[in-house]
Amino acid sequence: MATELKDLTKRETNYSQWYNELVVKADLAEQSAVRGCMVIKPYGYAIWEKMQRALDDMFKATGVQNAYFPLLIPKSFLSREADHVEGFAKECAVVTHYRLKTAGDGSGVVVDPDARLEEELIIRPTSETIIWNTYRNWINSYRDLPLLVNQWANVMRWEMRTRMFLRTAEFLWQEGHTAHATSEEAQAKAMEMINVYADFAKRYMAMPVLMGVKTANERFAGAVETYTIEAMMQDGKALQSGTSHFLGQNFAKAFDVKFINRENVLEYVWATSWGVSTRLMGALIMTHSDDNGLVLPPQLAPIQVVIVPIYKNAEQLSGIDAVVKPVVDRLKAMGISVKYDNADNKRPGFKFADYELKGVPVRLVLGPKDIANGTIEVMRRDTLEKETVPFKGIEDRVKALLDDIQQSLYDKALTLRETKTVKVDTWDDFKAQLELGGFILAHWDGTTETEEKIKEETKATIRCIPLDSVPEEGTCIYSGRPSHRRVIFARNY
Amino acid sequence: MATELKDLTKRETNYSQWYNELVVKADLAEQSAVRGCMVIKPYGYAIWEKMQRALDDMFKATGVQNAYFPLLIPKSFLSREADHVEGFAKECAVVTHYRLKTAGDGSGVVVDPDARLEEELIIRPTSETIIWNTYRNWINSYRDLPLLVNQWANVMRWEMRTRMFLRTAEFLWQEGHTAHATSEEAQAKAMEMINVYADFAKRYMAMPVLMGVKTANERFAGAVETYTIEAMMQDGKALQSGTSHFLGQNFAKAFDVKFINRENVLEYVWATSWGVSTRLMGALIMTHSDDNGLVLPPQLAPIQVVIVPIYKNAEQLSGIDAVVKPVVDRLKAMGISVKYDNADNKRPGFKFADYELKGVPVRLVLGPKDIANGTIEVMRRDTLEKETVPFKGIEDRVKALLDDIQQSLYDKALTLRETKTVKVDTWDDFKAQLELGGFILAHWDGTTETEEKIKEETKATIRCIPLDSVPEEGTCIYSGRPSHRRVIFARNY
């Protein structure tokens, strides 16, 4: 592990390679035998489980319940909503047969041509169609509304270029699908959920995000409005981290879902959908980690504190064991996840490097001299600062330190974003600034044509129109036409 | 709902139809638009989530960690293990293409013939192959062992005849896959996990199970030994509720997974796998429920206690509200999940029928007269017994009642199983007894030939050779040949 760490590419040398290596070296995930699909390893999955638990509690607090809908979607469902099929039919896994048989030459198994499906089935790229087809039978009257349902599921999009966590053919996510009696209520729900995501990003991931509205061009296929949270990675690129869509009556119309309203009139139902995925793992890694490995915010760290003993013989170790065990018990009682690593088959130096690579927020080290002096060494992973402190009261110090690390990580990421967010007013400045990375606040004329030309020429996209943006008159950096507010441009993952 | 309840078929009229109707009427699940795939509705999913949480905690207490492996498996992987391919290739969903395109006539979307996969991919029917292909890179030395990994996932088996929860094309499950340095350790792990399942069935599902070994004929495809837990449903039929397999070195050999042992010798790794699925939902329903609807054991009930007020006007209701709210708070503080249903748009009779149908274990009813008298009405769902008791101390009474219901349900199911388990010594008695339902303890000569003939003639299968069976000399009920112990025969789901 220590040797693996030495091999970790530095961020400034090649940020992208640093990321790819770190995902593997920190035991988070690896490529599988299936193109574009990854294996999420136990350490990576433990972080995802913590994300899931926190998000799930937050969803339930808003009245959402979980359910489960089929993995496979009849091909014809995709065509029902015109925009939706455009967005998703291009890149999906298609099931055409339901049986294999032994090859004639005994060499293995082949697809049985007699077991062809009448209608092909698609592995869900997202579930609006199958869910709205189901809702038709669940909704009759305004009394059945709102319907607030979420599912945790795997989905597939046959991406040509994949990167672990950031863009994989199969990924894990949650997708909420709500149904409402009024447009206002649905819009409010879409807004509520993007706020839940932003709150989660801040409190758990220690990741500041910009909340905003997507342009028509960047909207979810089938949505009337898409809200997004956008985070800035350390290289200045944007990462879309979660979206919430107001779907209007598009899917209700496509699947004929009507209800009797309070005035006894039959009306189409209003909808939202919203999701975050294992992509958040990529966002987490790229927001905080450094050239020594992962840096995890305490709220999502599977191990928050590791204690490593320094000893020369069994007698010394048993002395340390006796002193440490009550500390472990007290930390656990405080709800802190702690690992006492007194394994004898690895040297302390190896352990140090390994826990650094894994991003454990706090490390405690204790030897016979510390016991004699009543001290203990504390290291915080985010700054790598070491300090020798009194042993007595170490639990409270650890607790305070974890809180401090959580806050510091957020502050540091926020400072980076603020430093790397600049206003630009000319096309030349725009192109020059893009090379430096970061978010650019610039005027845009509001047309898809301009947006696409800017993307073609610079690879920069409009990440969002920030929700908190202030009206400001100006001229579009590209077309020179009038503009009424600045939008956020950036290159993105 | 009250009218729906009236329509519920009685168990003695048609047990199978009673089950199918109950699953739908109690809002647990429904058929989807995709053949053989169900939608698990929020109320059903809430029960499954409670099962998941309890099982997951129990797995982790044995040192198991969660991970995630790809949904799709290269077709060629299935052929690597000879028995495995026989068991699973026959009934799997095959992905052959990765893109759709607009139909030439504009009528919708069709499979793009240019997007054919070089090698077809199978939706996992179980993950031994992809996981052991991955383990090859994870395991080098005995220091990497044991490897104790579980995943919560969806799987597909293209069953011809499906029934909700019991046998569906797609189902949710967990599959544990462990790797060990010795045969003994792997066998012990397989045994440990079947004990975890039995313990879970007893403590959470209030369902007694027989633990036993499967015959060679009923073994998992690729296993050396399969352990099973078998439960008896109310109609006397058996339901296999969980299995744990000792896989020997079969998958290690198929995927070339070797390790350097303590003696520095290269050796194949030993394996187990074990799983339970949403089938447990079917087992839960059929074990306890009655002609009035679901009966849920308190440990798995999403709502453990419902409180219904009886009132004539708003003033009475607000008087009841004031008295009930502190009770709700105290029950919640005791960790009891409680719902106070003071909704004004449904009559008490409707509410009573609905909560009975949904299997809420305890119902409390309170009116102005109760308040005057300092009393409250308590009903337990399992026996439908009603009692008027002092209001004071109701929380402790509810707690004790929940414990009592949990135990009573188990006892009742155990009594049923004991009553319906009989020893039989002749072929005529065997056939006669089968018509009465239940488990039959009979002698069998140990051959697959006899086992299959008995199945052909009677539809009875050997459910297991119980782990606690006592050696006993006798003669096979079918062949008359010598036998050394009795095995369990039954018809099954």
Side-chain angles (χ1 to χ4, degrees):
Chain A
M1 208 61 78
T3 57
E4 287 183 12
L5 172 56
K6 225 173 49 186
D7 296 337
L8 183 62
T9 296
K10 294 206 183 322
R11 285 167 295 174
E12 65 173 17
T13 308
N14 186 334
Y15 191 76
S16 173
Q17 194 176 326
W18 164 82
Y19 172 80
N20 294 341
E21 289 176 8
L22 181 53
V23 167
V24 173
K25 285 179 196 289
D27 267 347
L28 300 175
E30 65 181 40
Q31 295 293 356
S32 77
V34 183
R35 204 195 65 81
C37 297
M38 65 179 168
V39 172
I40 306 180
K41 299 183 80 173
Y43 193 63
Y45 200 83
I47 300 170
W48 175 242
E49 279 183 311
K50 295 198 91 154
M51 289 188 177
Q52 279 189 301
R53 183 68 66 96
L55 283 164
D56 197 64
D57 288 346
M58 291 171 86
F59 298 157
K60 284 179 176 153
T62 73
V64 169
Q65 292 180 295
N66 289 328
Y68 188 76
F69 296 86
L71 170 72
L72 299 179
I73 297 178
K75 188 189 66 179
S76 59
F77 279 24
L78 278 191
S79 323
R80 298 269 198 102
E81 214 286 328
D83 291 332
H84 197 68
V85 69
E86 271 305 298
F88 288 103
K90 304 273 162 66
E91 43 176 39
C92 55
V94 189
V95 177
T96 56
H97 292 75
Y98 57 83
R99 199 190 305 134
L100 298 176
K101 62 173 190 176
T102 308
D105 61 1
S107 64
V109 282
V110 294
V111 177
D112 183 344
D114 294 339
R116 193 178 173 87
L117 290 169
E118 272 182 50
E119 181 182 1
E120 295 88 353
L121 298 166
I122 309 306
I123 297 181
R124 60 183 163 217
T126 180
S127 301
E128 278 76 7
T129 57
I130 187 98
I131 288 179
W132 278 87
N133 185 64
T134 307
Y135 280 0
R136 186 172 55 249
N137 300 318
W138 292 8
I139 300 169
N140 291 303
S141 139
Y142 69 90
R143 287 186 213 85
D144 301 319
L145 299 172
L147 185 58
L148 310 174
V149 176
N150 175 63
Q151 81 171 350
W152 290 94
N154 52 346
V155 287
M156 283 207 96
R157 298 176 187 176
W158 209 268
E159 305 280 356
M160 280 301 124
R161 302 179 66 173
T162 63
R163 290 190 72 190
M164 280 190 286
F165 291 121
L166 299 174
R167 180 168 273 112
T168 47
E170 182 188 12
F171 56 92
L172 303 183
W173 80 342
Q174 60 68 217
E175 47 181 326
H177 297 272
T178 71
H180 304 266
T182 67
S183 171
E184 294 69 34
E185 194 185 296
Q187 289 186 58
K189 187 74 193 177
M191 189 66 87
E192 179 186 16
M193 299 320 291
I194 202 71
N195 272 285
V196 165
Y197 292 153
D199 188 35
F200 170 79
K202 180 174 183 175
R203 288 200 291 131
Y204 290 88
M205 298 176 68
M207 182 173 83
V209 293
L210 283 181
M211 267 193 293
V213 180
K214 285 286 186 191
T215 62
N217 199 39
E218 298 273 337
R219 237 175 242 153
F220 174 77
V224 173
E225 198 81 279
T226 288
Y227 301 101
T228 180
I229 52 170
E230 301 281 328
M232 185 191 287
M233 303 296 99
Q234 289 176 66
D235 63 350
K237 278 173 139 176
L239 193 144
Q240 176 180 306
S241 304
T243 50
S244 179
H245 316 291
F246 169 58
L247 303 172
Q249 296 173 313
N250 292 348
F251 286 92
K253 285 178 179 164
F255 290 92
D256 196 30
V257 187
K258 293 177 186 161
F259 73 107
I260 307 279
N261 70 15
R262 279 170 201 275
E263 286 73 40
N264 217 29
V265 175
L266 205 58
E267 200 185 338
Y268 284 112
V269 176
W270 300 87
T272 81
S273 68
W274 29 275
V276 294
S277 73
T278 35
R279 183 162 230 238
L280 288 180
M281 292 287 295
L284 184 76
I285 297 161
M286 287 204 292
T287 298
H288 304 300
S289 300
D290 63 22
D291 294 344
N292 295 311
L294 277 186
V295 175
L296 293 176
Q299 287 285 1
L300 295 176
I303 304 166
Q304 296 174 307
V305 184
V306 64
I307 308 177
V308 179
I310 307 286
Y311 58 93
K312 289 193 181 129
N313 52 49
E315 193 191 340
Q316 285 187 354
L317 179 58
S318 80
I320 299 170
D321 283 353
V323 168
V324 167
K325 292 209 164 133
V327 175
V328 168
D329 291 343
R330 283 194 293 270
L331 286 172
K332 282 186 179 163
M334 292 161 77
I336 293 169
S337 112
V338 54
K339 177 175 176 180
Y340 176 41
D341 186 354
N342 59 359
D344 205 34
N345 57 355
K346 285 175 257 172
R347 279 166 301 108
F350 179 92
K351 293 178 184 175
F352 293 171
D354 190 30
Y355 293 116
E356 259 175 58
L357 183 59
K358 297 273 176 65
V360 175
V362 172
R363 185 185 81 197
L364 303 177
V365 178
L366 192 74
K369 205 187 280 177
D370 288 302
I371 295 187
N373 296 340
T375 59
I376 187 164
E377 185 193 276
V378 182
M379 190 190 80
R380 54 188 291 169
R381 175 64 185 86
D382 59 341
T383 61
L384 298 173
E385 286 165 353
K386 275 190 288 197
E387 204 184 352
T388 296
V389 303
F391 182 81
K392 196 167 145 58
I394 185 63
E395 301 87 353
D396 291 335
R397 186 178 281 266
V398 164
K399 174 83 179 70
L401 191 53
L402 289 171
D403 292 345
D404 187 57
I405 293 169
Q406 185 79 26
Q407 186 62 45
S408 298
L409 287 175
Y410 179 80
D411 293 344
K412 190 177 165 195
L414 184 61
T415 301
L416 179 87
R417 190 187 79 192
E418 286 173 347
T419 310
K420 289 203 173 203
T421 301
V422 295
K423 286 189 185 179
V424 157
D425 290 312
T426 71
W427 181 238
D428 284 342
D429 286 353
F430 182 84
K431 286 185 290 185
Q433 187 61 41
L434 264 183
E435 298 311 314
L436 302 175
F439 289 177
I440 298 178
L441 275 162
H443 280 286
W444 162 62
D445 63 20
T447 69
T448 298
E449 192 196 349
T450 296
E451 186 181 3
E452 285 180 343
K453 281 188 175 154
I454 293 173
K455 186 175 175 181
E456 261 169 47
E457 292 185 30
T458 66
K459 290 184 186 157
T461 52
I462 300 178
R463 303 315 306 152
C464 66
I465 304 156
L467 288 182
D468 61 0
S469 74
V470 186
E472 180 193 294
E473 295 305 310
T475 55
C476 174
I477 40 155
Y478 188 81
S479 69
R481 281 185 285 205
S483 154
H484 311 294
R485 66 197 324 181
R486 290 174 187 269
V487 300
I488 297 279
F489 283 92
R491 291 191 179 136
N492 68 294
Y493 282 94
Chain B
M1 209 59 79
T3 58
E4 287 183 10
L5 172 56
K6 224 172 55 189
D7 297 337
L8 183 63
T9 296
K10 293 206 182 325
R11 285 167 295 174
E12 64 174 15
T13 308
N14 186 335
Y15 191 78
S16 173
Q17 195 177 325
W18 163 82
Y19 172 81
N20 294 342
E21 289 176 12
L22 181 53
V23 167
V24 173
K25 285 177 195 290
D27 268 346
L28 301 175
E30 65 182 40
Q31 295 294 355
S32 78
V34 184
R35 205 195 64 82
C37 296
M38 64 180 168
V39 172
I40 306 180
K41 299 182 78 173
Y43 192 63
Y45 201 84
I47 300 170
W48 174 241
E49 279 183 309
K50 296 198 88 152
M51 288 188 178
Q52 280 190 301
R53 184 70 65 98
L55 283 165
D56 198 64
D57 287 346
M58 292 171 87
F59 298 157
K60 284 179 177 155
T62 73
V64 169
Q65 293 180 295
N66 289 328
Y68 188 75
F69 297 87
L71 171 71
L72 300 178
I73 297 178
K75 188 188 67 177
S76 59
F77 279 24
L78 278 191
S79 323
R80 298 269 197 102
E81 214 285 330
D83 290 333
H84 197 68
V85 68
E86 271 305 297
F88 289 102
K90 303 275 163 61
E91 43 176 37
C92 55
V94 188
V95 177
T96 56
H97 292 74
Y98 56 84
R99 200 189 305 134
L100 298 175
K101 62 173 191 177
T102 309
D105 62 359
S107 64
V109 282
V110 294
V111 177
D112 183 344
D114 295 338
R116 193 179 172 86
L117 290 169
E118 272 184 50
E119 181 183 0
E120 296 88 353
L121 298 166
I122 309 308
I123 297 183
R124 61 184 162 215
T126 180
S127 302
E128 278 75 8
T129 57
I130 187 97
I131 288 179
W132 279 86
N133 186 64
T134 307
Y135 281 181
R136 188 174 52 250
N137 300 318
W138 292 8
I139 299 169
N140 291 304
S141 136
Y142 68 91
R143 286 186 214 87
D144 301 319
L145 299 173
L147 185 59
L148 309 174
V149 175
N150 175 63
Q151 81 172 350
W152 290 94
N154 52 345
V155 287
M156 283 208 97
R157 298 176 187 177
W158 209 267
E159 306 279 356
M160 279 302 125
R161 304 178 66 172
T162 62
R163 292 191 70 190
M164 279 189 286
F165 291 122
L166 298 174
R167 179 167 276 112
T168 47
E170 182 188 10
F171 56 92
L172 304 182
W173 81 343
Q174 59 69 217
E175 46 180 326
H177 295 272
T178 69
H180 304 267
T182 67
S183 170
E184 294 69 31
E185 194 186 295
Q187 289 185 59
K189 188 72 193 177
M191 189 68 86
E192 179 186 17
M193 299 319 291
I194 201 70
N195 271 285
V196 165
Y197 290 153
D199 188 36
F200 170 79
K202 179 173 184 176
R203 288 200 291 133
Y204 289 87
M205 299 176 68
M207 181 173 84
V209 292
L210 283 180
M211 266 194 292
V213 180
K214 285 285 187 192
T215 61
N217 199 39
E218 298 273 338
R219 237 175 242 151
F220 175 77
V224 173
E225 197 82 277
T226 288
Y227 300 101
T228 180
I229 52 170
E230 301 281 328
M232 185 191 287
M233 302 296 97
Q234 289 176 67
D235 63 350
K237 276 173 140 177
L239 193 146
Q240 177 179 308
S241 304
T243 49
S244 179
H245 317 291
F246 168 57
L247 302 171
Q249 295 173 314
N250 292 348
F251 286 90
K253 285 178 179 164
F255 290 91
D256 197 30
V257 188
K258 293 178 186 163
F259 73 106
I260 306 278
N261 70 16
R262 279 172 201 275
E263 287 74 40
N264 216 28
V265 176
L266 204 59
E267 202 186 336
Y268 284 111
V269 176
W270 299 86
T272 81
S273 69
W274 29 276
V276 294
S277 74
T278 35
R279 184 164 229 236
L280 288 179
M281 293 287 294
L284 184 75
I285 297 161
M286 287 206 289
T287 298
H288 304 299
S289 301
D290 63 23
D291 295 344
N292 295 310
L294 275 187
V295 174
L296 292 176
Q299 288 285 2
L300 295 176
I303 303 166
Q304 295 175 307
V305 183
V306 65
I307 308 178
V308 179
I310 307 286
Y311 58 94
K312 290 191 182 132
N313 52 51
E315 193 192 338
Q316 285 187 354
L317 179 58
S318 80
I320 299 171
D321 284 352
V323 168
V324 167
K325 290 204 168 143
V327 175
V328 168
D329 291 342
R330 282 194 293 269
L331 287 171
K332 282 186 180 162
M334 292 161 78
I336 293 169
S337 111
V338 55
K339 178 176 175 180
Y340 176 41
D341 187 354
N342 59 357
D344 205 34
N345 57 353
K346 286 175 256 168
R347 280 166 300 108
F350 179 93
K351 292 178 184 176
F352 294 172
D354 190 29
Y355 293 115
E356 257 175 59
L357 183 56
K358 297 271 176 70
V360 175
V362 172
R363 184 184 82 199
L364 303 177
V365 179
L366 192 74
K369 205 187 282 179
D370 289 301
I371 294 185
N373 295 340
T375 59
I376 188 165
E377 185 193 277
V378 183
M379 191 190 80
R380 55 187 290 171
R381 175 63 185 87
D382 59 339
T383 61
L384 298 172
E385 286 165 352
K386 277 191 286 199
E387 206 183 351
T388 296
V389 304
F391 182 82
K392 196 169 143 62
I394 185 63
E395 301 87 353
D396 290 335
R397 189 179 279 267
V398 163
K399 173 84 180 75
L401 190 53
L402 289 171
D403 292 345
D404 187 56
I405 292 170
Q406 185 78 26
Q407 185 64 44
S408 297
L409 287 175
Y410 179 80
D411 292 345
K412 190 177 165 194
L414 184 61
T415 300
L416 179 88
R417 189 187 79 191
E418 286 173 347
T419 309
K420 289 203 172 203
T421 300
V422 295
K423 285 188 187 181
V424 157
D425 291 310
T426 71
W427 182 237
D428 284 343
D429 286 355
F430 181 84
K431 286 184 290 185
Q433 187 60 43
L434 265 183
E435 297 312 314
L436 302 176
F439 290 177
I440 298 179
L441 275 162
H443 280 285
W444 161 62
D445 64 20
T447 69
T448 297
E449 193 195 350
T450 296
E451 185 180 5
E452 286 181 342
K453 282 189 173 152
I454 292 173
K455 185 174 176 182
E456 261 168 48
E457 293 184 30
T458 65
K459 290 185 187 156
T461 51
I462 299 178
R463 303 316 305 154
C464 68
I465 305 156
L467 288 182
D468 61 1
S469 74
V470 185
E472 180 193 294
E473 295 305 310
T475 56
C476 174
I477 41 154
Y478 188 83
S479 69
R481 281 185 286 206
S483 154
H484 312 292
R485 65 198 322 183
R486 289 175 188 270
V487 299
I488 298 279
F489 284 92
R491 289 191 180 135
N492 67 292
Y493 282 94

